[in-house]
Amino acid sequence: MGYVCERCGDLLDVVIGDVEVDGWERFRGREWGVWRYRELLPVDHTRKVSIREGGTPLIPCPKLAEWVGVKELYVKFEGANPTGSFKDRGMTVGVTKALEFGARGVICASTGNTAASLAAYAARAGLRCLVAVPEGAIALGKLLQAIAHGALVVKVQGNFDDALSLVMEAASRLGLYILNSLNPWRLEGQKTLAFELAEELGHDIQVAVPVGNCGNISAIWKGFKELHQLGLLDGLPRMIGIQAEGAPPFAELVKNGGDVLKPVENPETIATAIRIGRPVNWKKALRAVRESEGVVETVSDEEIMDAQKALARLEGIGVEPASAASVAGVKKLSELGEIEKDRRIVCVCTGHLLKDPNPELFHPYMEITVKPELDDLMEKLSHL
Ligand code: F0G
């Protein structure tokens, strides 16, 4: 039930042993989603706690491709998951595992989405749930979800990193099972995003992922590598990690070519989901970027908001700010000449627009108030 190796202190990783998967045929004909790939998930699927997660839309975005300056761009819209973010892929496996282990309750620290997702899956599983969030720094929609699903919400007077330290200290005292991304079983669920991309597009792609605690990019890379090892993929994609300029510890590590992460003490960005200064999965993510000959870049809040607006207005895809970081990053890398412009790009958009209902971010926007009369409407429209 542990999370770290007793010998070296690093986070545990799940190793898939001998699995019999002869080809993609094995999965075809099954419903899309995380459990389509059950042979590759080391958990008892007959007892799964599921709300039909995964199987999210892969959307071709020609207008966004032009805006970004690349030939072909797709959005993998993780906002279409049951609680509106990619976390559901991890939680369906993680919470199923928690039951398998006989846990009586679960706990996480969160910038919001993990809390929303865990609260929902814990409710479905009948487990107690405690979520620790940085006070005043999580988006409204996410807080609402945690409350609605009946979690105990602990507002920590500090940032996400402080909340996670507290959770790691408190979990065993409280007898609760941790479901942050340091939990290796949760990442097993998240790796299924790679399976879906591989099934739809093959390996010859570049995959851009917003990076906070470094869990998702690690999980996705693990998924691709497993397929490659099983002979289901002929090659491997290139991983692109994007961080916010004000919360860049992983990007700095990669850019400086170092081997030890230097934490950022006071991370700051409008993309609250990735406002993280001490990402726990940095070693796994570093392997992902280096092995895939990938790249990591940072983007400003302004670039994030521009990308959020472009997604919404050019393609009709509504995502929260952190999710737009992947698109903002690809645009910047394209301008810098650091991505292969002719190789397909997939931007993983991790969470839904409604998570962070903040019209202020969309200036300029059009809004008028009218009497319920045609004359008044016509009059007011004439002034625009
Ligand atoms: N995008 C969104 C919308 C997120 O909520 C997160 C992480 C990330 C990207 C980054 O993923 O941490 O695996 O690198 N949110 C966590 C949370 C930290 O608590 O909801 P990562």
Side-chain angles (χ1 to χ4, degrees):
M1 218 166 129
Y3 320 94
V4 279
C5 168
E6 282 169 16
R7 264 181 290 162
C8 71
D10 277 352
L11 293 180
L12 292 176
D13 218 348
V14 175
V15 178
I16 298 287
D18 289 333
V19 280
E20 298 247 330
V21 179
D22 24 21
W24 286 106
E25 286 312 313
R26 168 68 63 113
F27 310 120
R28 299 222 165 101
R30 288 185 191 162
E31 189 182 341
W32 276 96
V34 167
W35 297 96
R36 178 178 176 91
Y37 310 101
R38 57 182 184 240
E39 287 84 352
L40 303 178
L41 299 173
V43 63
D44 179 3
H45 70 91
T46 61
R47 298 172 60 200
K48 65 177 185 266
V49 181
S50 170
I51 328 176
R52 292 204 175 189
E53 46 294 307
T56 53
L58 179 69
I59 310 166
C61 294
K63 284 191 271 180
L64 200 63
E66 203 181 321
W67 185 76
V68 161
V70 298
K71 198 165 152 203
E72 207 177 344
L73 186 146
Y74 294 78
V75 163
K76 181 68 171 164
F77 185 40
E78 289 292 283
N81 274 297
T83 77
S85 85
F86 70 98
K87 307 285 179 179
D88 297 344
R89 292 182 187 271
M91 291 308 173
T92 184
V93 174
V95 170
T96 302
K97 204 73 192 174
L99 288 181
E100 217 174 278
F101 285 145
R104 281 172 300 130
V106 287
I107 184 171
C108 72
S110 180
T111 56
N113 281 323
T114 298
S117 182
L118 183 58
Y121 284 84
R124 195 158 170 86
L127 291 169
R128 283 192 299 140
C129 178
L130 187 156
V131 301
V133 298
E135 187 185 28
I138 85 166
L140 191 62
K142 304 173 188 178
L143 185 61
L144 168 67
Q145 289 179 291
I147 292 169
H149 293 301
L152 170 62
V153 177
V154 176
K155 295 183 174 177
V156 179
Q157 293 170 330
N159 60 27
F160 168 82
D161 303 299
D162 301 324
L164 184 54
S165 300
L166 181 63
V167 161
M168 286 164 78
E169 263 184 88
S172 60
R173 277 276 284 283
L174 297 170
L176 299 175
Y177 186 56
I178 304 179
L179 272 162
N180 278 100
S181 58
L182 55 85
N183 181 311
W185 308 104
R186 210 192 92 183
L187 295 185
E188 288 301 289
Q190 287 176 215
K191 77 184 179 187
T192 57
L193 190 147
F195 300 168
E196 291 173 15
L197 290 183
E199 228 186 310
E200 291 200 85
L201 296 177
H203 76 273
D204 197 10
I205 51 177
Q206 305 177 88
V207 184
V209 190
V211 172
N213 219 7
C214 291
N216 206 27
I217 192 167
S218 311
I220 295 170
W221 178 242
K222 184 176 193 288
F224 282 121
K225 276 208 325 192
E226 282 176 5
L227 295 179
H228 192 235
Q229 280 153 11
L230 287 165
L232 295 175
L233 265 192
D234 296 335
L236 287 162
R238 184 166 184 240
M239 302 303 295
I240 300 175
I242 308 297
Q243 290 211 290
E245 250 171 39
F250 181 64
E252 280 175 0
L253 172 68
V254 176
K255 284 184 179 212
N256 296 337
D259 284 310
V260 180
L261 182 113
K262 249 181 68 204
V264 168
E265 286 312 324
N266 294 304
E268 199 44 73
T269 165
I270 196 158
T272 51
I274 51 173
R275 192 188 277 166
I276 295 175
R278 265 181 277 147
V280 291
N281 286 296
W282 66 268
K283 283 189 183 168
K284 292 183 186 179
L286 190 60
R287 282 199 293 274
V289 172
R290 291 201 173 142
E291 288 172 12
S292 74
E293 293 171 23
V295 59
V296 177
E297 192 48 85
T298 57
V299 285
S300 66
D301 282 358
E302 204 182 334
E303 287 165 329
I304 289 174
M305 288 185 290
D306 284 349
Q308 190 190 21
K309 221 185 278 179
L311 274 153
R313 296 189 179 174
L314 296 176
E315 301 287 2
I317 301 173
V319 308
E320 66 166 290
S323 311
S326 58
V327 173
V330 166
K331 185 172 197 301
K332 184 167 174 187
L333 288 167
S334 154
E335 282 157 12
L336 293 171
E338 285 184 39
I339 48 169
E340 297 165 44
K341 291 191 189 182
D342 292 336
R343 188 171 173 191
R344 277 177 172 166
I345 308 227
V346 178
C347 290
V348 178
C349 286
T350 41
H352 202 284
L353 172 70
L354 295 175
K355 290 280 191 173
D356 202 345
N358 189 355
E360 299 301 314
L361 296 182
F362 288 88
H363 276 296
Y365 66 95
M366 290 173 283
E367 199 179 64
I368 52 172
T369 305
V370 300
K371 298 194 190 91
E373 292 162 11
L374 182 60
D375 284 350
D376 193 39
L377 173 66
M378 296 314 284
E379 214 270 318
K380 299 255 167 69
L381 285 177
S382 71
H383 296 300
L384 291 181

